[in-house]
């Protein structure tokens, strides 16, 4: 288990701000601290920062609205994938900022690496994970490790009352969490 100092800092900041939901970025910080694979990303406030981040991360990238007031970004059109170049990154930043500013004038944009192709699954049936209809088997050990890591996080951070990891990309090489929503229980 990771040093709890960074995890406590994220949780304590959210609680001090009287928030019950961690942002996607904060949730991914917690997951990263316990060794869960998440895409590398950067929060940006300007179009120039978005382009610089996208260049550093490498194209294509994913860009998402980032706000403590917006839990379900996709419902608002706040997730753009497959952004291929600097020009498209600048346009995506403009589009996303128009969306986020309607809900939160202080909102930002999250620029992330695009995950490699693979099998995105909710665990509905074991045979889907073991190579079904010509699809390759997923790395069940990586999925098991992810579940154990998240269980340990819940044990170590009792303020967490809910965790939604969706989607999780599982493939033959491992597992990576592409989005997270973490809920904190009520204030003490």
């Amino acid at each position: 288990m990771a040093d709890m100092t960074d995890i406590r800092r994220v949780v304590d900041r959210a609680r001090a701000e009287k928030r019950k939901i961690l942002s996607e970025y904060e949730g991914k910080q917690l997951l990263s601290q316990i060794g869960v694979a998440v895409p590398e990303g950067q929060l940006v406030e300007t179009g120039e920062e978005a382009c610089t981040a996208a260049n550093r991360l490498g194209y294509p990238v994913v860009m998402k609205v980032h706000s403590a007031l917006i839990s379900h970004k996709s419902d608002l059109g706040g997730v753009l994938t497959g952004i291929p170049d600097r020009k498209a990154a600048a346009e995506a930043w403009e589009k996303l900022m128009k969306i986020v500013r309607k809900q939160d004038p202080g909102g930002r944009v999250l620029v992330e690496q695009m995950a490699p192709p693979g099998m995105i699954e909710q665990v509905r049936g074991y045979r889907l994970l073991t190579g079904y209809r010509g699809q390759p088997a997923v790395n069940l050990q990586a999925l098991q490790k992810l579940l154990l890591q998240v269980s340990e996080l819940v044990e170590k951070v009792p303020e967490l009352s809910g965790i939604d990891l969706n989607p999780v990309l599982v493939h033959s090489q491992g597992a990576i969490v592409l989005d997270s929503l973490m809920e904190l229980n009520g204030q003490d």
Side-chain angles (χ1 to χ4, degrees):
M1 185 66 177
D3 177 5
M4 290 297 294
T5 305
D6 291 334
I7 292 172
R8 289 272 21 120
R9 185 174 38 249
V10 170
V11 172
D12 291 346
R13 181 178 54 238
R15 292 186 60 102
E17 294 172 2
K18 306 282 190 224
R19 290 189 287 123
K20 290 188 175 184
I21 303 289
L22 297 180
S23 72
E24 174 185 356
Y25 188 74
E26 291 168 327
K28 286 181 176 173
Q29 287 178 312
L30 267 60
L31 292 169
S32 179
Q33 285 296 317
I34 62 168
V36 173
V38 297
E40 184 179 350
Q42 181 179 336
L43 288 176
V44 299
E45 295 184 16
T46 68
E48 184 58 34
E49 287 178 358
C51 292
T52 300
N55 286 338
R56 181 182 63 79
L57 293 168
Y59 295 101
V61 295
V62 176
M63 295 175 68
K64 307 173 184 182
V65 297
H66 179 270
S67 167
L69 303 177
I70 302 172
S71 299
H72 301 287
K73 301 170 290 297
S74 297
D75 294 348
L76 301 173
V79 178
L80 302 175
T81 63
I83 298 165
D85 55 36
R86 183 178 183 86
K87 181 177 185 286
E91 292 168 358
W93 182 84
E94 284 290 335
K95 180 177 181 177
L96 292 172
M97 287 306 293
K98 286 178 184 174
I99 293 169
V100 76
R101 284 183 183 137
K102 289 178 186 175
Q103 305 280 328
D104 180 1
R108 296 181 278 175
V109 170
L110 176 59
V111 182
E112 288 186 327
Q113 290 176 324
M114 186 107 173
M119 249 175 107
I120 298 176
E121 294 297 336
Q122 295 174 339
V123 181
R124 292 188 181 173
Y126 181 75
R127 69 182 183 168
L128 294 175
L129 300 174
T130 59
Y132 182 68
R133 292 190 175 171
Q135 292 295 317
V138 301
N139 186 327
L140 291 175
Q141 289 177 329
L143 185 57
Q144 180 182 20
K145 180 181 177 186
L146 171 66
L147 294 172
L148 291 172
Q149 289 168 317
V150 172
S151 295
E152 188 172 354
L153 179 65
V154 171
E155 182 180 308
K156 300 283 187 184
V157 184
E159 296 92 339
L160 289 172
S161 62
I163 298 178
D164 179 7
L165 307 178
N166 183 18
V168 174
L169 179 70
V170 184
H171 49 80
S172 61
Q173 301 302 308
I176 184 169
V177 175
L178 301 181
D179 199 350
S180 73
L181 179 65
M182 295 188 188
E183 188 171 350
L184 301 174
N185 57 25
Q187 302 289 324
D188 295 330

